[in-house]
Amino acid sequence: MIHSLFLINCSGDIFLEKHWKSVVSQSVCDYFFEAQEKAADVENVPPVISTPHHYLISIYRDKLFFVSVIQTEVPPLFVIEFLHRVADTFQDYFGECSEAAIKDNVVIVYELLEEMLDNGFPLATESNILKELIKPPTILRSVVNSITGSSNVGDTLPTGQLSNIPWRRAGVKYTNNEAYFDVVEEIDAIIDKSGSTVFAEIQGVIDACIKLSGMPDLSLSFMNPRLLDDVSFHPCIRFKRWESERVLSFIPPDGNFRLISYRVSSQNLVAIPVYVKHSISFKENSSCGRFDITIGPKQNMGKTIEGITVTVHMPKVVLNMNLTPTQGSYTFDPVTKVQSPKIRSEQVFLQSSFCDLGTWEDRGKGLISWLKLKLLTT
Amino acid sequence: MTDSKYFTTTKKGEIFELKAELNSDKKEKKKEAVKKVIASMTVGKDVSALFPDVVNCMQTDNLELKKLVYLYLMNYAKSQPDMAIMAVNTFVKDCEDPNPLIRALAVRTMGCIRVDKITEYLCEPLRKCLKDEDPYVRKTAAVCVAKLHDINAQLVEDQGFLDTLKDLISDSNPMVVANAVAALSEIAESHPSSNLLDLNPQSINKLLTALNECTEWGQIFILDCLANYTPKDDREAQSICERVTPRLSHANSAVVLSAVKVLMKFMEMLSKDLDYYGTLLKKLAPPLVTLLSAEPELQYVALRNINLIVQKRPEVLKHEMKVFFVKYNDPIYVKLEKLDIMIRLASQANIAQVLAELKEYATEVDVDFVRKAVRAIGRCAIKVEQSAERCVSTLLDLIQTKVNYVVQEAIVVIKDIFRKYPNKYESVIATLCENLDSLDEPEARAAMIWIVGEYAERIDNADELLESFLEGFHDESTQVQLQLLTAIVKLFLKKPTETQELVQQVLSLATQDSDNPDLRDRGYIYWRLLSTDPVAAKEVVLAEKPLISEETDLIEPTLLDELICYIGTLASVYHKPPSAFVEGGRGVVHKSLPPRTASSESTESPETAPAGAPPGEQLDAVPTQGDLLGDLLNLDLGPPVSGPPLAASAVQMGAVDLLGGGLDSLIGAPSFVAPPAAAVPANLGAPMGSGLSDLFDLTSGVGTLSGSYVAPKAVWLPAMKAKGLEISGTFTRQAGTISMDLQLTNKALQVMTDFAIQFNRNSFGLAPAAPLQVHAPLSPTQTVEISLPLSTAGSVMKTEPLNSLQVAVKNNIDVFYFSTLYPLHILFVEDGKMDRQMFLATWKDIPNENEAQFQIRDCPLNAEAVSSRLQSSNIFTVARRNVEGQDMLYQSLKLTNGIWVLAELRIQPGNPSFTLSLKCRAPEVSQHVYQAYETILKN
């Protein structure tokens, strides 16, 4: 099970350590730093590293490395899931998961970690329960605390902890009962040179914000549930009901949570709302080239598109770019090689010429334009 | 106001200042001080000096302060064990608190204080908490047992906590069940023998019920525990699968993968014709694909596991190729894994898409990724024959890009394609040759040289090309040098006229100027081959090469089966069994897939039956044919199970293992004919070099009166040589039955099971008449005594010495070999008394040169005693005469194989030395019969 946790920032400082069993020396992280050095990018550090006596399982979130030390055979996914849960909790408590936020709240962080894991076994990871045990810091509360001498630590056992619905706390009361659902769909597509779709799938999530009193029992039905290829449910959803009736029936947790994530991958069902055309040309005997990209809405969609953001990851060899978008504004970050024009319109034509090192020629046609489009449809 | 202020120190005497604050009267100040201490602790600063001051703050009603102090205690109690005792009272008191939160907190913290002295005080509170009315306290206490076990295992066992923990599996609260399972699993991992998680249908049912209601983490523990269970039949397996399937839709990917593990394992038991089998296969794919949309770290682990699943059951994901196409923002480790799976899924149906993708990847910028992509194209060509042509043309396109590392990688894979499809794509050689100059990596150079050598007859300027490589021969790496040597020899054999000079040059370079023994030896071999018999050289060097196949990349099936049992664990990430990397091999139990036991399928189970051994032959352990070497190699050491053929374990521990250690010792024992009788030396009475007499001299054995003499047990196989298994034994003959009395002692730290024994062929056909029955697993330090009945019906081969016996013993750890000598008198049969007349006739009949004479010294017995003692060992006195004051005993005995031995024993009263004359048609036994005499008379 999870032995220790080290939090490491991008410059390689260990700024927090927590041990759930015996103390493991910081020097174990040297193996991690070694692997980090080998990997060119921070994102490329392998998540599982073996050292002579321990295994290091790490995640990279918000420019921080969460490195856990384990000693015995343990499911790595379990550890990774847990680490993400820790990061989520920090985010939830402090509004951001950053070195500064963690250092500012180090005692709460420590109390949280102690509450989340016992002897390497997860204890309480539901945000509702944690919030009852350890109250999130707010300015008002810290003022009240300093006056009255009360503390952030709840002194009664959270009621939900042992019930069949550990995600919901009891005695919730709202004057306005509200429930909000966000449906966010992300299309992952690979489009080849000619503009035709090689592969496309929809990753969708339904995030909910529920502010309802008491023990509400909700159901949510879909127009065409057969479209969903695979679903992952929040534990609150009754699986049997879904199996038989394709209805989501649940007693929701209080507050924000992800209700369901789903995937639609049948090719013909995934319609990409825009078309993308691109071309790359290189100037003869020079290290410069030209890169055009055209994005426009597909006629048959019948929906307006707004708020397009195009992000293009250029290879490291690219030194500089001159961009001329037909619409909107742009930036180019010479460090991360990301050009991102922000456009608000129907059709965009983007021209850019780029300059780079002589070695560029060697790479031949190595430039592949990876696009990330952010669109809002209404 | 934030906590970062705790990190800033104002003065140099930080510790001193904190001390003062900790001892302050104001509660607020105290709390702030403790927070400062904790803050220093989090960054690894040593604040242990403040121990007594912090512990003083423990007695408080403020829960936050209490928690903070506990945090501190856990970290530093180990360094201050004596001071930690001070805290015990507070803990014990807190365990009685009316607030369950405080009770749980106390028992939890106490378990984390890894100080021996504290553990004694922990027992009572823990016992109470395990039976607490509040489930929250019970579930915390369950984990505490695991903590305590880690610190002091003996204490936990003595106090009976393990039983209480087992009872908690039936607790009414699912969270308690989950934690009890987790704790038991952790304890069981460090004590594989303890058999803690004794799973039976009832307990499985309880676990499955708890599975639906407990937290996601609890579900992982329960699923992992379920995976260790082996259902009785396919029906049970199916019902478990049905109840586990809903977990596939869980949001937590670890739950999903653990469920996949259970399903993959139990699927093995289901018949493939079953409708349910097909449904299950269909249900497995979507969750696996969904794992790929998670965070990259999760994707990586998922992909490593999918790699295993795809190899075991390709049908699961065969239609999902496209989800493995790499995305631009995948980290490199995810990209490489995806590529690997793409190749595994490549088939004729989707090869066009795969190739188009791979070609795209080959123009990427990341060098490692590009190389792997190019290599993948080659693997596709080898895997999908129909695509080979397309692959080759794709590779040629890539070579045209002239990007250095792409060209080199392409040439390496084209070499493999040539190995798979010889004489099919030579047209590309010209293009390859154009790029000769750009090759700077040894592997690519070696591949190119190999191609030139292999197709030398079709390349006009092959000699020039190779000559150009030869110029810098000494600077090349060994790989290239060896390849160059072979290629030039091939060229010479194909075009002998023009290349004589070249071959001379390379041979002298390799043999005279090189320090590398491999190169030199290969050079010499070629040289001699060429100079003695060019025709033979041609046959050797230009021999047909075996085709390579894609199987070379696959994981070996037995390992794969084992790894399937470890889906979701570290083993699945490393693709190695845990025994290969878990520290110290502690707690590693080999897992294997359950055998298919479907009643409908009982007639055919080709997957589970051991290769090459029809089930009937398994129990018959006697080797019947083949030569000495072959025999032992073919030994079928399946554990002796009466009833249906053993499946899983035999597959795992099959005859392959025998190849490992056995050969060396076997080769040392030549099949050799015993020396002729004339050679029996005249220096009578001296111990004849055989270990047997030495052995018996040393022992002061206690012979049994009834039945033949039994030597005391001697150590045959020391524990050192057999990974902790010590075998000692002796041979007996009682009432016509020969048996081998064995004493097996386990001196290792792990349990031994699955014993089996086998003899090599020997002079008298000794063979086990029954399998080696060790009923219970042999736990550490335990000893068992076994009497193994022997028959003489085994196959016969003369050994040297005549009475040596080579034995192979197998257990779950390994196969061990030892050799021992058996006393010949165990072979003397009961009806060995010869008729007087017959005796005389036979004595005369046997030629005199077959007579051997021996001295038996220092034997104080008289003739009667000698006679009766010998008789009990089946040496019968036919007649007794008194000649010149000497007692002459005429004796006869018969060996199990029907050989008669006649003896004349001369005893002079008052002289403790006897003279023994032996006559036998097979004179080589005389020596051993004499030893038998000596043994019987002197003990």
Side-chain angles (χ1 to χ4, degrees), chain A residues 8 23 30 81 178 197 296 303:
Chain A
I8 300 172
V23 176
D30 293 348
E81 277 279 358
E178 297 169 314
T197 310
K303 285 175 185 164

Side-chain angles (χ1 to χ4, degrees), chain B residues 438-458:
Chain B
S438 62
L439 306 180
D440 53 8
E441 288 162 26
E443 201 181 354
R445 285 174 85 88
M448 191 63 219
I449 293 169
W450 183 85
I451 294 170
V452 173
E454 192 64 18
Y455 294 94
E457 68 273 29
R458 303 180 201 216

Side-chain angles (χ1 to χ4, degrees), chain B residues 713 726-730 741-745 783-786:
Chain B
K713 289 196 175 76
E726 189 186 75
I727 299 179
S728 52
T730 186
D741 288 350
L742 289 169
Q743 180 175 321
L744 308 179
T745 309
T783 298
V784 285
E785 303 254 3
I786 300 149

Side-chain angles (χ1 to χ4, degrees), chain B residues 354-422:
Chain B
V354 174
L355 271 182
E357 276 295 302
L358 291 176
K359 198 175 168 186
E360 212 54 55
Y361 301 163
T363 59
E364 261 270 24
V365 281
D366 191 299
V367 179
D368 282 342
F369 182 57
V370 171
R371 281 174 183 277
K372 188 142 185 182
V374 176
R375 224 159 251 236
I377 297 174
R379 274 168 70 186
C380 284
I382 290 163
K383 187 173 176 190
V384 186
E385 190 162 355
Q386 293 82 354
S387 75
E389 193 143 357
R390 264 226 253 1
C391 295
V392 172
S393 74
T394 309
L395 287 170
L396 284 180
D397 285 352
L398 290 174
I399 290 177
Q400 296 304 341
T401 63
K402 305 275 178 193
V403 178
N404 187 283
Y405 53 85
V406 176
V407 172
Q408 309 216 31
E409 209 62 39
I411 286 179
V412 172
V413 296
I414 286 180
K415 177 204 72 180
D416 287 341
I417 295 176
F418 282 151
R419 291 274 324 260
K420 171 78 179 178
Y421 311 106

Side-chain angles (χ1 to χ4, degrees), chain A residues 73 81 104 155 230 233 370, chain B residues 3 99 249 253 290 328 570:
Chain A
E73 175 69 90
E81 277 279 358
D104 280 352
D155 53 4
D230 188 41
F233 293 139
W370 295 114
Chain B
D3 292 350
N99 186 344
S249 302
S253 57
T290 300
Y328 77 102
L570 278 174

